[in-house]
Amino acid sequence: MFSWLGKEPELHPEVYGNVVDGLKSIYKSKLVPLEQHYLFNEFHSPPLSDADFDAQPLILLVGQYSTGKTTFIRYLLERDFPGMRIGPEPTTDKFIAVMYGDKEGVIPGNALVVDPKKQFRPLSAFGNAFLNRFQCSLVKSPVLKGMTIIDTPGILAGEKQRIDRGYDFTGVLEWFAERVDRIILLFDAHKLDISDEFRRSIEAIRSHDDKIRIILNKADMVDQQQLMRVYGALMWSLGKVLQTPEVVRVFTGSFWNEPLRCDTNRKLFEDETQDLFSDFQSLPKNSALRKLNDLIKRARLAKMHALIIAELKKEMPMFGKESKKKDLIRNLQVVYERIRQEQQISASDFPDIGRMQDMLVKYDFSKFHSHKPKLLEDVDLMLSEDISKLMAMIPHDSSPPSFLEVRGGAFETVEDKMTPFGYKCGEGCNAGFGEPEWIVNKERASYDALFDNLQPCEGRLSGAAVKGEFMKSKLPNPVLAKIWKLADVDMDGQLDKDEFALGMHLINVKLNGGEIPLQLPEHLIPPKKKDKWAKQEKYKNNDTDRDS
């Protein structure tokens, strides 16, 4: 009769509308209780708000003075923004959040951190000295509909600059680094030295190395040989600071709209710019995945912090607490090792021991809360089950940031096909687009001579006859097979004179560094075969429609 009393309550699995909503829910229900109980927010990072999860992608620019940070923003937007100052001397002395706004203007830092719709409220903890050096510039630019850019003060050499700031500069950088999607370190081709403060800044954000990208700016100021040496020197300097075995991605270029001083590397700069812009344009689509990844990192750190605090609380005696506290802090490495062996945790998961010792000095260990294993179990459950459910939603994510697009400004040139100055327009397989003459005819005499020497039968060459000539290019067989399929426009297994010339043209495109297209562009189709090709394409499309 009373058997229902012993039953476990029925659990219904959580259903989330999108990934961001799911992240908000599991953070508040599973991770926040652990953070509050073990004082995680006082040691490591302030609690996250809904605005942190809803925010569009953020890009943080860091670099020494006069490396072109503000000019880089102007280059992306293709216009000025409120509060912008550019010059050879240190000009930007503020943290400036460049965001989209229908009404342009400047929001001071004190007003900005009380706005619940923006994610900057925790920055109030850095005090008025910082807030007086923080502002938001609202700009009506389509670029900023897809991302927000954070400009930072130029970093100077010497100890004086760090003292004169009046606030924790590296602490602010670390706060931003935890929340942004990309950290851009800018270097000047003539200024590769890493000052003391710049080193401290890089070390503060080093734990987020997956977000870091390097820009070697003003690379047009040196010639090709000097650029090679500058690049090597930069990699050597960074290797000592970042301390990672992997090579950091460095984008080389001249990111402003002035004439190139040395244009011998123009092609390199164009390729690097396109790669960088493609990386930026991928941010909205990957925004939810980045937030998911950051929440996992936060959960692992919070769990580790809980184990350390619980161990310290357990070690505290009834009497002689102050001396025991000093002993525990001094021998914190022993505590770390004991936890590592008991929990089978990687040593790399532990927080920096020096910083943890500095923080622990401020606290009375006897006031730490007692250990609650249930809180750790909830976080483990979150990592093993809730996160996996959200991961499965990523390919079909409908979070608002994932629908944003980075468009406008300098990004219009990424897919520019309308002008002859668009990326790779008139190069490789794009050469000849829009021209009345078939581009293959420019080298037609030499192609026809080769064709005749292969002794065609009834105006056609078999695959066996063509193979030897094509293989003289030394291109791999898979590439030559792809070229053959594209050149055999009428798909009869043989090449006539026009098709052979087309095949040779595609080989030369590849040998000159171009890429072979997946489908033959219309301007490369032999003029005599365009009608037949159009009918074949129409037939293919009809078949596809029937299949669907």
Side-chain angles (χ1 to χ4, degrees), residues 87 91 149 185 190 207 228 263 337-338 367 474 509:
T91 50
I149 307 172
L185 300 181
H190 286 107
S207 60
M228 182 179 68
D263 69 344
E337 183 61 24
R338 187 159 58 245
K367 294 183 179 179
K474 298 183 181 179
V509 165

XYZ file of all heavy atoms in Angstrom, residues 87 91 149 185 190 207 228 263 337-338 367 474 509:
104
model
N 48.658 57.353 -33.848
C 49.887 58.112 -33.984
C 51.097 57.249 -33.715
O 50.972 56.139 -33.200
N 49.245 56.268 -28.024
C 48.035 57.091 -28.101
C 46.864 56.464 -27.365
O 46.149 57.138 -26.640
C 47.643 57.326 -29.572
O 47.619 56.067 -30.259
C 48.631 58.242 -30.261
N 35.164 44.067 -30.933
C 36.619 44.151 -30.893
C 37.033 44.940 -29.656
O 36.495 46.021 -29.388
C 37.180 44.817 -32.162
C 36.637 44.108 -33.412
C 38.694 44.797 -32.156
C 36.986 44.820 -34.711
N 47.774 38.896 -30.863
C 49.004 39.563 -30.447
C 49.624 40.213 -31.671
O 49.982 39.523 -32.627
C 49.980 38.568 -29.822
C 49.523 37.816 -28.568
C 50.640 36.895 -28.073
C 49.110 38.773 -27.466
N 59.515 45.978 -37.149
C 60.698 46.666 -36.636
C 60.732 46.711 -35.112
O 61.569 47.398 -34.527
C 60.751 48.109 -37.172
C 61.134 48.185 -38.620
N 60.234 48.493 -39.615
C 62.312 47.972 -39.249
C 60.838 48.477 -40.793
N 62.095 48.152 -40.601
N 47.455 30.456 -20.804
C 46.633 29.263 -20.612
C 45.516 29.160 -21.652
O 44.884 28.115 -21.769
C 46.031 29.259 -19.207
O 45.214 30.398 -19.000
N 62.161 37.147 -43.917
C 62.457 35.790 -43.473
C 63.193 35.820 -42.133
O 62.895 35.036 -41.219
C 63.301 35.074 -44.527
C 63.640 33.632 -44.188
S 64.615 32.836 -45.480
C 66.160 33.751 -45.337
N 56.486 45.603 -52.416
C 55.353 44.782 -52.878
C 55.784 43.428 -53.427
O 55.005 42.742 -54.075
C 54.518 45.534 -53.906
C 55.258 45.733 -55.222
O 56.493 45.565 -55.229
O 54.596 46.047 -56.229
N 50.513 17.184 -4.635
C 50.942 15.828 -4.987
C 50.039 14.779 -4.344
O 49.713 13.759 -4.972
C 52.392 15.618 -4.544
C 52.975 14.273 -4.917
C 53.009 14.009 -6.406
O 53.025 14.991 -7.194
O 53.001 12.815 -6.797
N 49.600 15.041 -3.116
C 48.717 14.102 -2.436
C 47.367 13.999 -3.168
O 46.848 12.901 -3.376
C 48.514 14.545 -0.983
C 47.732 13.532 -0.149
C 47.958 13.706 1.336
N 47.610 15.037 1.816
C 48.498 15.914 2.317
N 49.778 15.596 2.404
N 48.111 17.091 2.753
N 37.709 29.113 8.317
C 36.406 29.574 7.828
C 36.028 28.956 6.483
O 34.974 29.263 5.943
C 36.393 31.100 7.730
C 36.495 31.776 9.087
C 36.417 33.292 8.972
C 36.501 33.938 10.363
N 36.456 35.423 10.274
N 54.908 15.584 -63.788
C 55.308 15.044 -62.486
C 54.260 15.293 -61.399
O 54.564 15.186 -60.208
C 56.665 15.593 -62.047
C 57.802 15.220 -62.990
C 59.140 15.716 -62.490
C 60.259 15.343 -63.462
N 61.572 15.834 -63.004
N 48.100 25.475 -64.742
C 47.523 26.184 -63.596
C 48.038 25.582 -62.296
O 48.461 26.285 -61.376
C 45.973 26.132 -63.649
C 45.374 26.527 -62.295
C 45.440 27.042 -64.741
